[in-house]
Structure formats: structure tokens, C-alpha cells
Amino acid sequence: MRSYVDAKIEERRVAIEVGAEEAASAKDRVDLSLPGVVRPLGSRHLIRQVFQEIEDIFFSIGFSVVDGPEIETPYYNFEALNIPEFHPVRDDMDTFYLELPKGAPGLLLRTHTSPMQIRTMEKQKPPVRVIVPGRVYRRDNPDATHSFAFHQVEGLAVDTDITFCDFTGTIEYFVKQFFGPSVKTRFRPSYFPFTEPSVEFDVSCVFCGGNGTTSSGTCGKCKGAGWIELFGAGMVDPAVYGFVGYDPKKVTGFAFGIGIDRLAMLKYGIDDIQAFFQNDVRFLKQFP
Ligand code: DAH
């Protein structure tokens, strides 16, 4: 009788042990059929996406991308671009100067990407075909269309036989690739110290199709003009070649400086430049 009871107890003990083990391993077992943890994916900032779009367009016609310092010397930001001290253009480019020890050479935050025209030509003999995406700074008070930091893409093409036609053809190609084939372009005479002649490029208003009116009346974006001012450009002023050791009798070229924030606002219908800098996820998510 006793051995019978012992055997029963043993049988029970083993059963409990095995059961406990099974229960424990069931608890630890990974259920491969469960869905994984989905981590939210970030995306590139809209400004970065627009840079990329522009780079791809210019890559396709033989341009390469260079970048350069955001802290510049007055020489590259102004003088070598044919903007001597006391030139009135300097007033339009309210500049951030760095606070430096007395006697140190002056430094500033670049007010445009144009200094890279000079740095590129100093380093490289023609032919030159580059674009320069980058951030620039001006002492502007922030509002819906101004920010103290914003973005530009500079372009420069210099060779022995570049004509005004190459220039307008290149710009038109870019604008149509970027905004679509139905957009119209025009240029108006303008002035920049480092280009001669200088022009301002306009596109037909992307909001009213160039009509100047929408179903609700005068188009608020182009104020009825049917055109929107896009960016400045021109044929490189021969004086600039003098600063980089190019022979102005042998080379010609064109340059342009595109404001990227404005371009992105036009293409994606954004009406406040500050949206680019606030990094509000609800805004960023709309441009995956
Ligand atoms: N650097 C000028 C600006 O920021 C824009 C510009 C105009 C650049 C004409 C160019 C150009 O290269 O040819 O206001």
C-alpha cells in the first residue's frame, strides 16, 4: 500500500514539474505570428526634397554639385563679386557679422550662395558647370515671407563659347522640368553687380494659370499680374573673371541664384515660410 501511495505522489510530482515547465516555456515563447512593432518612419524635410529635385534636373544636363562655407569673408561674399565697400547693394543684404577679437580679419554669415562662384572658379579651370545648394543668412525680421536663415541654389556655367541663348535655354528647361511643361517663362532686365546683362526670371502664375483671375476674382498670389517673380540671373560680368584669373576675352558664362524657400512655397502652395523652420510634425508629415 505504501509503495502504491509513493508511486502516486511521485507521478503527481513529475506531472506538476512538467506542467510548470511547459507553462513557463509557453510564457517565454515568442509568438512569431504576432505583428512586429511598427516604428514611425521619418522623411526628408521638404526643403531637402526640393534641393534634390533641382539637383536631379541639373545633373541631367551635366552640372555637378559643390558646397562651401556658411561663414565667409567679405572678400568672397562681396568684393570678388564686384560689390566694393559702400556699394548700395550691400544695404539690401543686411549682413550678420561675427564678433571677433580686435584685429582679426572680418567674417560674416554669407548673405547668398554667390561666393561659391568665386571659390569654384579659383579652384577649377573652365569649363565650369556647377550648382551650389545651401543656406544663407540675412538680418530680416521673421514674417510669412522672411526668415533670417533661408536657402538658395546658385548656378554657374563658364566656358569658351557660352551664349545668352544657352543661358535662357538652360533656365527655361529647368523651370519647365520643375513646374511642368505648361508653365510659361519670361525675363526682365534687372541689375546685379556680378552679372551683365542681368535679368529677373518670371513664371506664369502657378495659381491662376497666368490669367490673373480665379473663380473668386483677382488672383491673390500674383495680384492679377499673371506672372510671378522667380529669381535673378545673368551673364557673368567680365569684371568677376578678373578676380579669379580667367581671361575675360576667352570665356563667357551665366549665373543664377534661386531662392528655394520661395520656390517650394509656390510649388506646394505653402503661404508661410516659417513652416519650414518650426519642424511641426503635422506639417512635415504632409511631404513624405
Ligand atoms: N545672389 C543674388 C541674391 O541673393 C541672387 C543672384 C542674382 C545670383 C543673379 C546670381 C545671379 O548668380 O546671376 O540676391
Side-chain angles (χ1 to χ4, degrees):
M1 187 60 201
R2 175 180 178 139
S3 65
Y4 172 79
V5 172
D6 278 350
K8 277 288 173 209
I9 289 173
E10 182 58 14
E11 198 178 285
R12 195 73 202 112
R13 194 179 63 77
V14 169
I16 287 168
E17 251 176 36
V18 169
E21 239 167 61
E22 247 167 32
S25 70
K27 210 168 99 218
D28 291 343
R29 198 180 301 133
V30 178
D31 182 350
L32 295 176
S33 69
L34 283 177
V37 179
V38 182
R39 303 201 185 281
L41 256 194
S43 59
R44 278 179 305 170
H45 192 280
L46 183 59
I47 292 291
R48 182 93 324 268
Q49 294 182 32
V50 172
F51 271 151
Q52 187 70 53
E53 248 179 280
I54 296 174
E55 286 169 19
D56 288 345
I57 296 170
F58 281 102
F59 276 153
S60 74
I61 48 173
F63 281 70
S64 46
V65 174
V66 292
D67 63 6
E70 291 179 11
I71 296 177
E72 265 298 3
T73 63
Y75 176 77
Y76 285 107
N77 198 79
F78 295 124
E79 268 104 41
L81 286 162
N82 207 24
I83 316 175
E85 212 174 347
F86 307 119
H87 193 292
V89 160
R90 291 206 188 190
D91 295 344
D92 299 335
M93 291 199 181
D94 268 336
T95 310
F96 286 111
Y97 288 91
L98 271 64
E99 224 172 76
L100 295 166
K102 258 211 164 73
L107 288 174
L108 48 80
L109 294 182
R110 65 178 177 192
T111 56
H112 50 179
T113 41
S114 304
M116 277 307 290
Q117 290 190 30
I118 306 301
R119 289 186 179 274
T120 305
M121 288 190 281
E122 271 182 353
K123 269 207 226 123
Q124 190 182 329
K125 294 256 154 307
V128 169
R129 262 183 212 84
V130 293
I131 55 166
V132 190
R135 195 190 281 254
V136 301
Y137 302 86
R138 289 187 203 174
R139 296 175 50 155
D140 283 330
N141 288 325
D143 63 21
T145 54
H146 293 87
S147 164
F148 53 80
F150 54 103
H151 305 85
Q152 291 186 337
V153 171
E154 191 78 13
L156 176 69
V158 181
D159 205 344
T160 47
D161 50 7
I162 291 187
T163 64
F164 196 81
C165 279
D166 296 323
F167 163 53
T168 53
T170 306
I171 302 284
E172 266 164 29
Y173 173 77
F174 161 69
V175 170
K176 284 185 195 280
Q177 289 290 309
F178 189 81
F179 284 108
S182 59
V183 80
K184 287 196 281 294
T185 57
R186 72 171 185 190
F187 56 86
R188 289 173 289 111
S190 184
Y191 171 77
F192 300 100
F194 36 91
T195 44
E196 178 58 36
S198 302
V199 305
E200 196 92 44
F201 250 89
D202 296 346
V203 279
S204 50
C205 179
V206 287
F207 299 97
C208 64
N211 299 323
T213 50
T214 62
S215 51
S216 46
T218 307
C219 173
K221 300 290 181 174
C222 65
K223 308 209 167 52
W227 294 95
I228 287 190
E229 198 179 299
L230 258 201
F231 55 86
M235 299 301 284
V236 177
D237 192 310
V240 172
Y241 296 131
F243 287 96
V244 296
Y246 280 16
D247 182 349
K249 287 197 205 72
K250 293 210 178 109
V251 295
T252 51
F254 60 83
F256 52 87
I258 311 173
I260 300 310
D261 309 78
R262 185 173 158 71
L263 211 67
M265 288 165 77
L266 281 176
K267 180 159 176 175
Y268 296 99
I270 296 158
D271 50 20
D272 187 352
I273 193 174
Q274 301 302 329
F276 293 136
F277 303 99
Q278 288 157 345
N279 284 333
D280 184 329
V281 177
R282 290 167 300 180
F283 172 74
L284 299 176
K285 265 191 175 161
Q286 296 172 46
F287 307 99

